[in-house]
Amino acid sequence: MSVTEKVELYKFDEEKYLKEGDAIIAQRKEVEEIADQVFEKGFTNIFFLGIGGTEFEFAHFVYLLNKYSTLEVYAINAADANTVHPTKLTKDSLVITSSASGTTVEIVEALTWIKEIGATVVGFTKKDCPVGKLCSIVIEAKVTTGQCEYAYVLQSYLLYSILNKRNEFPEYERFADQIKNIFKNLVDIRKVFEPKADEIAKQLYNKPYTIFTGSGALWGETLLFAMCILEEMQWVRTRPVTSSQFFHGTLELVEKDVPVFIVKGEDEYRKQDNRVEDFCKKINAEYVVLDTQEYALDVDAKFRPFVIPWIVTALLTERLAAHYELYTRHNLAYRRYYHQFDY
């Protein structure tokens, strides 16, 4: 896949992104050796431990592992885990966690008691930080920027390598070989989407609120953009809801100046996304569709379900966010409350 037309990406350092992408790909052997270590030690189940953005980022892995593996896989919100201490989380569990800052208070609290239990904890964070110091193993991205796709590639090397060892992803080697060009692909699709990103942001940025729907492997990315980007970073009101739950309450909120943003995937849940789109057409509602099928990647078709969340995070969390910022004139880094004081 290539884009020949010259397209300038607003507030995006392509050269740095690709250079750091190469550094991520170069960590493949390191992460696969960790997968060997974890697999040889053994575990009875996997817990994905996150909160907010990290919880949403893990969602597609939880979905895909539950789909393709017989492993017991659980997603736990760190604050909830600290409240209930799940009984199935034992010394024989494998806990996967992540923290860009390395200081997320709920995760630090959770790892403190999880460490006492004796579970194996693999953390995608900095080694020299509160979260990293509580992990059994740390996988630190050798980059300076925090693009979600960087973490997704490293996490894929770990998780899908483990599935391969369980004979549940026998084509892992081919998959891992093919994603070596993923960051160039994701630059190209950014360039394809760039004019649309500007158009969508201009259309939606000042609406009273926007309904977001998604499903399957893309539900986590839908939540991530609606809550962590638009609500937290742009103070834009949203209503994220799964495509199935949309028809059990939220559809009654669709009216003039309340647009629906539909994130459409390529898995078995696509029919639910199509149902939302068909409804919007039927009532002549204002709506926008992001359909991952419109964007090419240099991977086999059978591998696309594993990487379409990366398309969505590149186009929404990175590109569309930048264009919202342009129109709202609200700096993405500015918060009212978050990290402003203790609460």
Side-chain angles (χ1 to χ4, degrees):
M1 172 184 169
S2 63
V3 175
T4 56
E5 182 183 355
K6 179 68 173 177
V7 176
E8 294 294 334
L9 295 172
Y10 173 68
K11 295 187 71 173
F12 182 78
D13 189 334
E14 178 178 341
E15 182 179 355
K16 183 176 183 181
Y17 176 81
L18 292 174
K19 182 178 179 181
E20 296 199 330
D22 288 341
I24 292 295
I25 298 298
Q27 290 185 248
R28 174 180 169 181
K29 184 178 179 182
E30 169 197 344
V31 179
E32 289 176 345
E33 288 176 351
I34 291 171
D36 290 341
Q37 176 184 343
V38 170
F39 181 77
E40 289 302 319
K41 181 179 180 182
F43 53 89
T44 57
N45 53 35
I46 297 179
F47 280 83
F48 287 89
L49 175 72
I51 192 164
T54 53
E55 181 181 4
F56 304 152
E57 289 164 16
F58 282 147
H60 73 279
F61 289 112
V62 175
Y63 161 77
L64 289 163
L65 263 64
N66 275 315
K67 181 175 178 178
Y68 291 103
S69 176
T70 59
L71 274 166
E72 289 187 18
V73 179
Y74 304 95
I76 49 172
N77 173 290
D80 292 342
N82 292 330
T83 301
V84 300
H85 287 218
T87 56
K88 290 186 178 181
L89 201 166
T90 71
K91 64 179 179 59
D92 298 316
S93 297
L94 171 61
V95 177
I96 309 291
T97 194
S98 178
S99 175
S101 68
T103 60
T104 311
V105 292
E106 296 93 341
I107 292 179
V108 170
E109 179 183 345
L111 292 183
T112 301
W113 59 263
I114 288 172
K115 184 176 181 179
E116 293 176 359
I117 288 175
T120 299
V121 180
V122 177
F124 291 84
T125 188
K126 303 177 184 71
K127 293 179 180 177
D128 188 22
C129 68
V131 171
K133 291 175 181 178
L134 289 166
C135 294
S136 313
I137 301 168
V138 172
I139 299 174
E140 183 172 354
K142 295 179 172 58
V143 297
T144 59
T145 52
Q147 301 287 357
C148 293
E149 311 97 280
Y150 294 156
Y152 291 167
V153 170
L154 295 178
Q155 289 159 4
S156 294
Y157 287 151
L158 176 75
L159 296 165
Y160 300 145
S161 181
I162 288 174
L163 290 196
N164 182 39
K165 297 174 191 306
R166 290 172 52 86
N167 298 315
E168 293 174 330
F169 193 5
E171 294 179 298
Y172 166 75
E173 292 292 339
R174 181 170 175 81
F175 167 81
D177 289 344
Q178 288 192 359
I179 63 172
K180 68 181 180 182
N181 295 319
I182 194 68
F183 297 109
K184 177 62 170 64
N185 287 174
L186 292 174
V187 167
D188 289 344
I189 67 172
R190 279 171 165 89
K191 292 179 179 179
V192 172
F193 182 68
E194 189 72 358
K196 190 172 183 179
D198 185 71
E199 176 186 326
I200 293 171
K202 187 175 182 180
Q203 174 186 347
L204 300 183
Y205 82 96
N206 63 348
K207 296 294 184 180
Y209 71 94
T210 303
I211 296 167
F212 281 80
T213 68
S215 63
L218 300 183
W219 173 234
E221 302 304 321
T222 306
L223 272 174
L224 181 67
F225 181 67
M227 292 182 62
C228 297
I229 304 299
L230 293 188
E231 291 185 348
E232 178 187 319
M233 300 180 182
Q234 289 291 280
W235 305 348
V236 170
R237 291 173 174 83
T238 72
R239 169 64 165 108
V241 62
T242 63
S243 297
S244 60
Q245 293 289 3
F246 172 84
F247 291 98
H248 297 273
T250 309
L251 81 169
E252 293 293 342
L253 301 180
V254 181
E255 59 182 343
K256 187 178 183 298
D257 283 333
V258 180
V260 181
F261 195 114
I262 304 163
V263 181
K264 287 177 64 172
E266 301 172 35
D267 52 34
E268 61 271 38
Y269 283 86
R270 185 178 177 88
K271 63 182 180 181
Q272 295 187 4
D273 306 327
N274 285 334
R275 187 183 178 205
V276 176
E277 183 177 6
D278 290 343
F279 171 82
C280 290
K281 290 177 180 176
K282 189 169 186 176
I283 67 167
N284 198 31
E286 180 181 2
Y287 71 97
V288 171
V289 174
L290 176 69
D291 187 347
T292 59
Q293 280 191 346
E294 297 176 3
Y295 301 94
L297 296 173
D298 294 327
V299 300
D300 294 344
K302 60 190 169 187
F303 295 143
R304 283 186 64 91
F306 294 88
V307 297
I308 57 172
W310 312 355
I311 293 177
V312 176
T313 198
L315 299 190
L316 296 190
T317 301
E318 202 278 321
R319 284 293 78 212
L320 190 54
H323 286 271
Y324 260 88
E325 180 186 50
L326 175 65
Y327 286 103
T328 64
R329 298 185 180 183
H330 177 88
N331 192 309
L332 284 160
Y334 185 75
R335 312 289 197 274
R336 279 195 188 98
Y337 311 120
Y338 185 63
H339 282 181
Q340 301 303 312
F341 53 88
D342 292 332
Y343 51 83

